Amino acid sequence: MQAQGTNRSLRVGAVSGGIGAFDPGSRGELSLNNSTATVGRDLRLGFNANNGALFGEAMLEVRSSLLTIGGELRMDALAAPGIETIFGIDGLVRGLGGYGAIDAETASLAGLVTVDFTGLGAPPGFGDWVFDLIATTTGIFRDVDDVQFLGLAGGYYVSFCGLAENDQVWRVVLSQADPNQVPEPAALAVLLFGLAGLALARRRA
């Protein structure tokens, strides 16, 4: 099953929902782009049976959107090889017009998370930029298995990725390298040693 939302609001009533969560061997996909969506209770990504011998795959993509879950965001750990959650970072504000984010009462994370900075480019100013991609009210009880970052602008790097705020937030921090930063002593020593070797080689030539 594939579902897409672009420039719209979606709502699932006071029931639990699932993506790839009910049919082993299936793949469910939900993609939100500049949209809002609300799930009244729980949202489950992936499904496993027979201790993971059978599982349903799930892909959740949130770009410039806010997904609100009234209960638990559950990524099935035993189905984790087939679970991917994609956050599109297109701006500095959380939700519509900015970066994709999820609010939930609680969360159990698993699988692969892709954080795509392609739409952001180089942020204005200098310093650190904080992206709270998943925020909960009672806590996150399991971290993801793997994270990949796409589209980082030159001179920028991810300085932090993981749980924060007493394990209630899954956060990514983007930082800009300081072009005027003085090298660490060890790095400076390596640089001077290399320059000295280069000068000696030139004299011998």
Side-chain angles (χ1 to χ4, degrees), residues 141-153:
F141 300 103
R142 190 183 192 281
D143 207 347
V144 297
D145 298 306
D146 194 16
V147 184
Q148 64 177 353
F149 303 100
L150 304 178
L152 285 168

Side-chain angles (χ1 to χ4, degrees), residues 99-144:
Y99 65 90
I102 299 173
D103 288 338
E105 180 180 358
T106 184
S108 180
L109 310 182
L112 169 67
V113 168
T114 297
V115 184
D116 186 0
F117 288 95
T118 303
L120 179 64
F126 179 83
D128 299 322
W129 294 267
V130 176
F131 302 94
D132 288 342
L133 301 183
I134 302 174
T136 68
T137 55
T138 60
I140 298 174
F141 300 103
R142 190 183 192 281
D143 207 347
V144 297

Side-chain angles (χ1 to χ4, degrees), residues 65-203:
S65 300
L66 180 62
L67 172 60
T68 302
I69 301 168
E72 179 188 14
L73 169 62
R74 180 182 177 189
M75 303 178 184
D76 192 318
L78 292 180
I83 296 176
E84 181 179 12
T85 306
I86 303 170
F87 293 95
I89 312 297
D90 297 327
L92 300 178
V93 298
R94 194 168 188 269
L96 288 174
Y99 65 90
I102 299 173
D103 288 338
E105 180 180 358
T106 184
S108 180
L109 310 182
L112 169 67
V113 168
T114 297
V115 184
D116 186 0
F117 288 95
T118 303
L120 179 64
F126 179 83
D128 299 322
W129 294 267
V130 176
F131 302 94
D132 288 342
L133 301 183
I134 302 174
T136 68
T137 55
T138 60
I140 298 174
F141 300 103
R142 190 183 192 281
D143 207 347
V144 297
D145 298 306
D146 194 16
V147 184
Q148 64 177 353
F149 303 100
L150 304 178
L152 285 168
Y156 294 83
Y157 66 99
V158 173
S159 58
F160 177 83
C161 172
L163 301 180
E165 305 294 336
N166 296 318
D167 293 346
Q168 290 185 304
V169 172
W170 196 81
R171 175 176 292 169
V172 168
V173 179
L174 180 68
S175 299
Q176 184 177 13
D178 186 353
N180 300 316
Q181 184 176 6
V182 177
E184 295 291 332
L188 184 59
V190 171
L191 176 62
L192 293 177
F193 181 78
L195 292 176
L198 180 60
L200 179 62
R202 285 181 175 174
R203 283 200 299 268

